[in-house]
Amino acid sequence: MKRRNVLAILGSVPLAVSFGAPTRAQDAYPAKPVKILVPFGPGGSTDIISRLVGKQLETVTGKPFVVENKPGATGMIGTTQVKNAAADGHTLLLGSTSTLAANPSLYKQMTYDPSDFTTVAVNGSVGNFMLVNKDGPYRTVKEFVAFAKASKEPLFSGYGNASSRVPSALFEVTSGVKFEEVAYRDAVASIQDLAAGRVHAVFPDQVVGESYVRSGFVRALAVTSAERSALFPDVEAIAETYPGYNIIAFSCFSVRKETPAEIKQRLNRLIMEALYEPTVLERVKQLGFLPPPSDWDIAKCDAFVVREREDWTRYIKLAKIEPQ
C-alpha cells in the first residue's frame, strides 16, 4: 500500500480510537508526591489524623503523602503557605476550627480568607476537655465555680490556639467566673503549666489531653460537648451544669478553591474512603473523633465548615472577645 493511502486511512480514523482517549485530571491525580501541611506542631489531633489518613492514601495511590508541620500565628503561617501554593491538589491543608472557623473573628488582619479554600473532606468532630490540676480542691464544675468565685487571688486560664481559647472565654460568660488569659505556643505547653500550678484551667481538644488525663498528670473536670464523651463516660459535660453550653472542634482537608473540580472530587472520594478503612476508622474513633457519613460529598463538607464558622462567630461575640 502506498504511503499516501496509509495516511489517508489513518486520517479517517477518530483520534480517540487511534491514540486513546485523553487522560482526565482526576485519573492522573496524584501525579507527584502530595504535601499535607499541618499549621500546628506535631502531636495534636490535626497532626495525628493527617498522618493516619496520609498513610492510607499512600497505600491506595502509590504516591507519597508527606506531612509537614508549620506552626505559628494560630495556624495562619501554615494556612497562608497553602493559599500561596499551586492550585493543583498537591498541597493539602489540614484545616481546623482555629484556621477555618474562629480566626476570622479573633483577628482584625488575616493573611488569608477561609473562602480561599474548598473543604473536600471532613475528618470528624470532637469536644474539648476542661482540665484542672490533679490536686485542685474541686471535683465537679459546680465546685470549681464556687472555688473560683470565693478566691481572693486571680485565676488563670491557658490556651494554645483559638479552639482552646474560646471555650474558656465562653465558660467565663456562662458561669460568671473570671480568668486571666495566658497564651502558649501550643496546648501541650499549657497543660504542662497546669500541672505545675501556674494556671488553673485549660480547654484543649480531647486528643491532645487524653494521655495526660489517663496518666493522672492532670484531671479532666468536664467536656465541652453537649453530651459526655464515649471515651470518658465518667467525665461530666459542662452542659449538665449550664444547659446550652456546647462547643466542638473539627478537622478537615481543604485545597485552594481554584483547584480543578475533577481533582477536588477525586480527593473527596480518596479521603472519605481512607477514613472508613477499618483500621483508620477504629483509630479515629479511639481519638474521640466522630466522622461524618462516608457518603458526604464536597458540598456537604464545605457547608459543614461554613456552619461551624457561623457558630464560632456567635460564640466569640457571646464571649465578648475583641479582635486583636
Side-chain angles (χ1 to χ4, degrees):
M1 185 181 295
K2 294 184 178 180
R3 182 173 180 272
R4 62 176 177 272
N5 292 335
V6 172
L7 292 176
I9 294 172
L10 288 176
S12 68
V13 178
L15 184 62
V17 175
S18 299
F19 299 100
T23 301
R24 293 179 300 170
Q26 66 173 353
D27 294 334
Y29 180 87
K32 58 183 179 180
V34 177
K35 180 189 296 184
I36 301 175
L37 205 148
V38 179
F40 299 103
S45 58
T46 51
D47 180 68
I48 294 171
I49 287 183
S50 68
R51 295 178 189 277
L52 285 171
V53 173
K55 184 176 181 181
Q56 179 62 20
L57 293 175
E58 285 188 354
T59 300
V60 172
T61 67
K63 292 289 194 299
F65 280 72
V66 182
V67 175
E68 182 176 331
N69 298 93
K70 284 286 184 181
T74 322
M76 282 195 273
I77 291 176
T79 304
T80 302
Q81 185 170 326
V82 178
K83 173 191 172 182
N84 295 331
D88 60 3
H90 289 87
T91 302
L92 309 182
L93 171 67
L94 205 294
S96 68
T97 304
S98 293
T99 56
L100 297 180
N103 279 354
S105 295
L106 291 173
Y107 298 98
K108 294 178 181 178
Q109 294 186 334
M110 295 275 291
T111 53
Y112 66 90
D113 188 301
S115 63
D116 293 330
F117 305 96
T118 299
T119 295
V120 295
V122 173
N123 303 317
S125 59
V126 62
N128 287 30
F129 277 126
M130 178 181 180
L131 300 182
V132 297
N133 187 285
K134 64 182 179 64
D135 298 320
Y138 24 74
R139 296 283 175 174
T140 66
V141 171
K142 287 182 179 179
E143 290 178 358
F144 180 88
V145 171
F147 170 86
K149 290 183 176 180
S151 177
K152 296 181 180 180
E153 300 295 329
L155 267 67
F156 297 93
S157 173
Y159 68 90
N161 54 35
S163 62
S164 59
R165 180 187 182 191
V166 174
S168 172
L170 192 58
F171 183 80
E172 287 186 83
V173 173
T174 304
S175 67
V177 168
K178 179 61 180 175
F179 288 129
E180 296 291 336
E181 292 185 329
V182 182
Y184 288 89
R185 173 177 50 84
D186 54 35
V188 172
S190 70
I191 294 172
Q192 291 171 341
D193 261 14
L194 176 68
R198 299 186 184 95
V199 295
H200 296 84
V202 297
F203 291 73
D205 71 56
Q206 289 183 34
V207 179
V208 174
E210 179 184 14
S211 63
Y212 297 99
V213 171
R214 293 197 186 280
S215 68
F217 188 68
V218 292
R219 184 190 309 148
L221 196 68
V223 293
T224 66
S225 49
E227 299 178 350
R228 298 191 180 199
S229 167
L231 297 180
F232 297 90
D234 295 331
V235 178
E236 68 176 300
I238 294 174
E240 294 174 35
T241 303
Y242 298 104
Y245 185 102
N246 176 30
I247 298 184
I248 60 170
F250 69 87
S251 168
C252 65
F253 281 95
S254 303
V255 295
R256 282 186 54 184
K257 65 181 180 182
E258 299 88 354
T259 302
E262 313 90 79
I263 292 179
K264 292 178 183 177
Q265 180 60 33
R266 170 80 166 150
L267 279 166
N268 170 261
R269 287 300 86 211
L270 281 172
I271 296 171
M272 296 306 293
E273 289 172 8
L275 277 169
Y276 273 83
E277 195 281 326
T279 57
V280 175
L281 182 62
E282 181 182 3
R283 179 62 178 136
V284 168
K285 288 184 175 180
Q286 287 174 351
L287 291 170
F289 271 79
L290 179 64
S294 61
D295 63 354
W296 267 29
D297 58 14
I298 293 174
K300 289 180 179 178
C301 292
D302 212 38
F304 169 85
V305 173
V306 171
R307 287 195 304 271
E308 281 296 307
R309 185 156 59 250
E310 293 171 349
D311 285 345
W312 278 77
T313 298
R314 178 168 52 86
Y315 299 152
I316 291 166
K317 287 181 179 178
L318 286 172
K320 300 178 181 178
I321 298 176
E322 294 295 328
Q324 298 178 359

